[in-house]
Amino acid sequence: MASTMIGKQALVIGAGMAGLTAAGALAHGFDHVVVLERDTLPSEPTHRAGTPQARHVHGLLLSGQRALSELFPGFEQDLARAGAVPLRAGLDIRVERPGYDPFPQRDLGWSGYAASRPAIERTVRRRVEGLANVTLRQRCRVKEILASPNAAMVTGVRYEDDDGASETMAADLVVDASGRGALTLALLQSIGRPLPEETTIGIDLSYATCIFAIPNDAPTDWKGVMTFGEAPRDSSGALMLPLEGNRWMVTVGHHGDVLPSDAEGFLAFAQSLRTQTIYNAIRHSKRLDGVARYGFPESVRRHFERLDGFPRGLLPIGDAICRFNPVYGQGMSVAALEASLLKRLLERPGQTSDPIAGLAPTFFSEMQALIETPWSVAMLDFVFPDTRGQRPADFETMLRFGIALTRLAAEDPAVHRLTMEVQHLLKPRSVYRDPNLMQRVFARMAEA
Ligand SMILES: Cc1cc2nc3c(=O)[nH]c(=O)nc-3n(C[C@H](O)[C@H](O)[C@H](O)COP(=O)(O)OP(=O)(O)OC[C@H]3O[C@@H](n4cnc5c(N)ncnc54)[C@H](O)[C@@H]3O)c2cc1C
């Protein structure tokens, strides 16, 4: 292993999904990897303060599951052992969208898993804890990324340990997986470098989530439900997924005002959805928790790839680069795909004498292909008139194309499968440019 190492020590800020998967990748390129996390990391799959979003539904796409299995072979079996519920794609989730209540349920030939975010993260963390050259240090809050006196390279971080003492740690590479990426931006600012341009899609999404015991008389024709409102008039929707421990997690949301924090208000919102499937399932079910809420103002994409030069030894990853409207369930999977890309870059035979200097620019450039499809999914929010940001010029055509494609997918299992493969980020959106498919979609558009 030592002959392929490109540095002695890598340091990861944050033990969320991006930090843990990055640590798994970096273990292949550095003698030693240290992960510094500000939280106490629970030994059980329970909540912690640093990831408040973990109280809400966290769907894992098949691309994310596969990337996690590539980084940690046997990951899917670990997830199953942790109690994750297997789901047949296309069959086990009842999808309700205007005109299709429900969308045809058919087995598309692959399985995924549903579990709580703490259970998914705990499963990954166990695998990272098992890596001989990775150390996870909890209750260490990074305060600052440190640069060399000439500001050309990053040399390590300053952090506060458990006792509040200020410490420094040197590293050949610092990976910022802190979610917000504020430390990276602060460093760029402090050394007089430009900040990356940002593209934002403002949605002011309000989320509320409750957990219920699955009753004995639960419907048997689905394991979960996804309900969409009538866009562009109604942005309300809900996702109910099964969790480990025979539970349902129900997240409801809309663009706009904060949702109620009490159980009655939660049920009333569920009842006000376009369909009653979720309300009927939970109205007599035992509630196991209070109502958790979350406000998500905007999807953000930072264009690090457009920067002219970047400090050697620094790499932001995960949400620090791109945060997506969570409704589409893409963040964890994109983080795992980015970590897989990082691993491939570390394993690629060195083309320069200083592979660490080349790492961030190559990563920023190659991850664009990976971000393109999930970002174009996040752009669907422009269907709502109050969405802020730069609406693509051809958005109306995109929408009409999407509606016609959905109609074809409802009729033709092969097209259904293809759209699910794109949704699960197994294939890029560009597969829709297949001439034969485009001809069929355009014919539907003309009919409409
Ligand atoms: C409401 C909501 C629902 C979501 N639902 C889904 C979903 O269904 N499917 C999906 O795939 N994704 C979903 N996401 C997105 C997903 O949570 C993230 O994209 C994913 O976890 C990757 O995030 P990350 O690891 O980059 O950051 P985070 O998960 O935010 O982790 C950052 C970590 O860094 C630590 N940290 C922060 N600052 C410091 C510091 N200074 N020093 C040390 N440690 C620090 C934090 O404590 C935390 O552990 C959702 C997000 C939200 C907000």
Side-chain angles (χ1 to χ4, degrees), residues 304-305 309-311 314-315 345 356-366:
F304 286 101
E305 78 285 3
F310 199 67
L314 176 62
L315 187 72
L345 295 184
I356 292 180
L359 194 60
T362 313
F363 181 82
F364 294 148
S365 151
E366 295 199 15

Side-chain angles (χ1 to χ4, degrees), residues 13-19 36-39 41 48-51 53-54 56-61 117 121 140-143 177-180 183 207 239 294 296 317-320 322-324 326-335:
I13 307 169
M17 290 299 287
L36 297 180
E37 166 58 49
R38 63 184 173 188
D39 274 357
L41 296 170
R48 58 189 181 85
T51 51
Q53 76 270 32
H56 303 272
V57 165
H58 263 67
L60 183 60
L61 303 178
R117 157 71 187 250
E121 190 180 290
C140 292
R141 182 183 290 268
V142 176
K143 305 294 277 186
S178 64
R180 299 299 164 121
L183 293 158
Y207 249 38
L239 176 57
Y294 199 99
F296 185 92
I317 201 163
D319 280 15
C322 199
R323 303 184 81 204
F324 307 93
V327 163
Y328 307 112
Q330 306 185 113
M332 293 190 299
S333 296
V334 169

Side-chain angles (χ1 to χ4, degrees), residues 379 382-385 387-396 399:
M379 283 201 298
F382 283 113
V383 71
F384 301 107
T387 298
R388 298 182 304 278
Q390 187 68 47
R391 203 172 203 255
D394 59 348
F395 190 70
E396 289 308 323
L399 266 189

Side-chain angles (χ1 to χ4, degrees), residues 77-101:
Q77 289 87 325
D78 289 0
L79 206 53
R81 272 194 292 274
V85 181
L87 296 174
R88 292 298 290 170
L91 184 68
D92 285 336
I93 302 291
R94 178 184 164 97
V95 179
E96 302 174 335
R97 49 174 83 244
Y100 311 92
D101 285 324

Side-chain angles (χ1 to χ4, degrees), residues 88 92 118 161 186 205 240 255 305 332 400 420 431:
R88 292 298 290 170
D92 285 336
D161 72 10
L205 178 71
M240 173 159 104
H255 296 199
E305 78 285 3
M332 293 190 299
R400 287 177 47 234
M420 284 291 275
V431 294

Side-chain angles (χ1 to χ4, degrees), residues 10 13 119 130 145 165 204 275 278 288 354 407 417 420 427:
I13 307 169
I145 297 173
D204 299 325
T275 63
I278 291 181
L288 300 175
D354 186 357
R407 190 163 309 142
R417 188 185 159 89
M420 284 291 275
K427 289 189 174 163

Side-chain angles (χ1 to χ4, degrees), residues 94-134:
R94 178 184 164 97
V95 179
E96 302 174 335
R97 49 174 83 244
Y100 311 92
D101 285 324
F103 198 80
Q105 280 168 263
R106 33 172 104 96
D107 193 332
L108 297 176
W110 76 75
S111 282
Y113 285 96
S116 67
R117 157 71 187 250
I120 297 170
E121 190 180 290
R122 183 71 194 95
T123 304
V124 179
R125 199 159 69 236
R126 261 190 219 284
R127 297 301 300 265
V128 173
E129 284 164 352
L131 297 172
N133 61 340
V134 179

